Amino acid sequence: MKITDLLKMDTILIDLQSETKLGVIEELSAKLAQAGRLHDEGGFKAAILKREEQSTTGIGEGIAIPHAKTSAVKTPAICFGKSVSGIQYESLDGQPAHLFFMIAASEAANQVHLETLSRLSSLLMDAQFRSQLVSATSAEEVLEIIDQKEQEADQDENEEQETSAIRDAAKILAVTACPTGIAHTYMAADALKAKAKEMGLDFKVETNGSTGVKNRLNPAEIANADVIIVAADKQVEMDRFDGKRVIIVPVAHGLRKPEELLKRAVNRDAPIYKGTKKDSREDEPSTKGKIDIYKHLMNGVSNMLPFVVGGGILIALSFFFGLDASDPTKPEYNPIAKALSDIGGGTSGAFFFLVPVLAGFIASSIADRPGFAPGMVGGLLAAQANAGFIGGLIAGFLAGYVVLGLKKLFSNLPQAFEGIKPVLLYPVFGMLITGLIMLFVINEPVTALNQGLSNWLQGLSGTNAVLLGMILAGMMAVDMGGPINKAAFTFGIAAIEAQSFGPHAAVMAGGMVPPLAIAFATTFFKSKFNDTERKSGLTNYFMGAFFITEGAIPFAAADPFRVIISSVIGAATAGALTMAFNVTLPAPHGGVFVIPLVNHPFLYLLAILIGSLISGLILGFWKRKQN
């Protein structure tokens, strides 16, 4: 299929009237709707804007390629718009955009359509081609220029294939991938290829686009490669690069900084990549989802945290009106407190989505987009059955692997079914199988287990409680915002859900200690830190006060052994004291603004200060003086 099969006279605007990015999107969307290419103009525009939130499609060189793959598209199409004066479009190079190609891909778009759309992205890397389009004065001329360029590209591609058949294995390899896999994936690949050819390098690039993996790197090429460049904004198969020098950057760097990346590759300026699967067969297709369970879990937890933080702060704010101020049956009822509580929690607020979001993103990490909906549904069923986080975890992994199984099961269907797999077969069968297993197999025993966990937490006292607080708070300081930190944070949220408020108080205390300890150390042991560190240390007073554990990361990166060990000791002390003082925190967040909500605020503050001072003193005495 040719580009001009998707770009027609009725989807060309030779003189855009808009002066803003939003205006361009609305004008091009309206043109597609007027030409009968859309089912739902509003839905399509929303999908375009959602893609823009991920990263701008203003790729520089005067080009913008807003694009979306959505069910709002009736017929796959391209809409072209031109502005001679230029429009500010948040381009990567900060320059105005003159050429706009809005790509409308339907959910059922087949492989031929997607490959054609991707080819357009590649052609736009040619400066002469862009110049011709800017100079075009009619829709007919635009179509003629594109048609001629496409014929030249087909001829060049044939010559390249003939050359590559006799070429030695590549020494520098690359992989490109963007979230939607339509534009940036291929433009980055072409930018790297063009620069590699100019530099006379032996080079090959693999693209991970909407139509799947193209030009896959084989085991022999990987084995012979000096350096591999991975320019990607989504998950790609990485374990095959175990032991190789790998440069990992966003896909935009492949597009905007190809020479810089290739020079780094030539100079072997890249770390050795350490994979997680040591016994996989590199010549097999991608086994994404079949390994690295921890990575899938963290994908779910990371995407859940914004709901926890946003909802938690709103719930915490509602408590300022009184612990029962959101309950209309209580004397202290306040409508503002109820509104804050409903938005943050309730049956339809942020906290309502915690378990479904956790399950949905675990499933999508395993099985890509087709796993998301079954995961969300499984998580919702778990939440409604009071199966809690444990039920959500099971639902996410269950849905992900169910969809992987469906992909394998349906892989032998005729090509005609490709378009309906993601919109019909995967969601229907994925939701059905996941839902039935959750309802009739998983929910009841997990709900009982969840109740057992609740009873155990409620029954903790004495040494057991202190030990739990020590462990959870210490975990918060191990990687300061990383997976171990998030695991402790998630446990604290689960404890709140089980109506046990002590563990989360320890978690919050432990998270505040590392940055406060850094602040104390840089204040009282100035000779142990340089001027930049001392100035940065002052900001850690604020970061610690507002529960931003990550404020200590720069110091941990520069001196990991001393900083991490001292932070863990102080955080564990704070957590142990918190539990020993029987401090409880009903708000699912931390920082000084929730301290008034705890049952013993002064004791809680004392525990945090003692832990921070212990860490600060250990670090200050342990660290060497600056030369």
Side-chain angles (χ1 to χ4, degrees), residues 83 87 390 457 462 470 479:
S83 171
I87 298 169
I390 298 174
L457 288 171
M470 183 184 300
D479 53 0

Side-chain angles (χ1 to χ4, degrees), residues 237-242 273 275-277 280 282 291-292:
E237 187 184 355
M238 291 294 295
D239 286 302
R240 52 189 166 149
F241 304 141
D242 181 49
Y273 181 77
T276 56
K277 58 177 183 181
S280 63
E282 299 289 354
I291 54 133
D292 210 350

Side-chain angles (χ1 to χ4, degrees), residues 112-394:
V112 175
H113 284 136
L114 294 172
E115 287 180 346
T116 304
L117 298 175
S118 302
R119 191 185 313 138
L120 170 65
S121 305
S122 301
L123 298 183
L124 288 169
M125 298 308 298
D126 187 330
Q128 184 178 356
F129 176 55
R130 298 195 301 268
S131 178
Q132 290 174 331
L133 289 174
V134 170
S135 302
T137 57
S138 67
E140 292 89 345
E141 188 176 356
V142 169
L143 293 175
E144 183 180 344
I145 292 169
I146 292 175
D147 190 55
Q148 181 179 350
K149 178 61 179 176
E150 196 167 15
Q151 291 179 24
E152 295 174 0
D154 288 341
Q155 183 177 351
D156 291 342
E157 185 176 337
N158 292 334
E159 292 175 356
E160 183 178 346
Q161 289 176 351
E162 292 174 4
T163 302
S164 64
I166 59 174
R167 187 177 59 192
D168 292 337
K171 298 300 182 183
I172 297 177
L173 306 179
V175 178
T176 61
C178 69
T180 53
I182 293 178
H184 288 63
T185 298
Y186 302 96
M187 300 186 79
D190 283 331
L192 287 165
K193 282 194 295 185
K195 184 57 65 174
K197 184 176 181 180
E198 179 184 317
M199 296 170 66
L201 301 177
D202 202 357
F203 181 77
K204 178 181 176 180
V205 59
E206 167 188 301
T207 56
N208 286 236
S210 292
T211 58
V213 176
K214 300 295 182 184
N215 210 28
R216 177 180 286 277
L217 307 178
N218 64 50
E221 290 167 334
I222 294 172
N224 291 327
D226 295 319
V227 177
I228 300 160
I229 300 168
V230 178
D233 289 335
K234 71 172 187 177
Q235 188 177 23
V236 298
E237 187 184 355
M238 291 294 295
D239 286 302
R240 52 189 166 149
F241 304 141
D242 181 49
K244 305 299 294 187
R245 293 187 180 276
V246 180
I247 300 171
I248 303 176
V249 294
V251 70
H253 286 207
L255 177 61
R256 303 301 310 160
K257 303 177 180 178
E259 184 173 4
E260 175 184 319
L261 292 175
L262 290 169
K263 283 183 177 178
R264 283 186 59 188
V266 169
N267 295 328
R268 300 194 178 190
D269 178 16
I272 301 295
Y273 181 77
K274 299 297 183 183
T276 56
K277 58 177 183 181
K278 304 299 183 183
D279 56 352
S280 63
R281 290 180 54 194
E282 299 289 354
D283 56 341
E284 291 180 350
S286 172
T287 55
K288 177 184 177 184
K290 296 182 180 178
I291 54 133
D292 210 350
I293 290 175
Y294 189 69
K295 179 173 60 180
H296 304 318
L297 173 62
M298 284 302 104
N299 188 60
V301 171
S302 297
N303 284 284
M304 179 191 72
L305 284 181
F307 292 86
V308 174
V309 175
I313 290 176
L314 292 174
I315 293 172
L317 290 174
S318 75
F319 289 147
F320 278 102
F321 295 90
L323 291 179
D324 295 317
S326 61
D327 187 347
T329 65
K330 301 293 183 179
E332 56 186 314
Y333 170 69
N334 185 292
I336 297 177
K338 185 177 188 318
L340 290 170
S341 179
D342 288 346
I343 296 170
T347 58
S348 58
F351 258 52
F352 174 78
F353 294 101
L354 296 190
V355 173
V357 166
L358 173 70
F361 279 98
I362 288 174
S364 65
S365 178
I366 295 169
D368 287 318
R369 295 181 192 176
F372 184 73
M376 283 285 289
V377 171
L380 179 61
L381 293 173
Q384 291 174 335
N386 294 319
F389 283 92
I390 298 174
L393 294 175
I394 295 174

Side-chain angles (χ1 to χ4, degrees), residues 10-30:
D10 59 352
T11 57
I12 294 178
L13 287 167
I14 203 68
D15 185 16
L16 285 169
Q17 301 302 305
S18 304
E19 297 180 353
T20 65
K21 175 178 180 176
L22 181 59
V24 170
I25 291 173
E26 291 177 342
E27 191 172 352
L28 295 177
S29 298

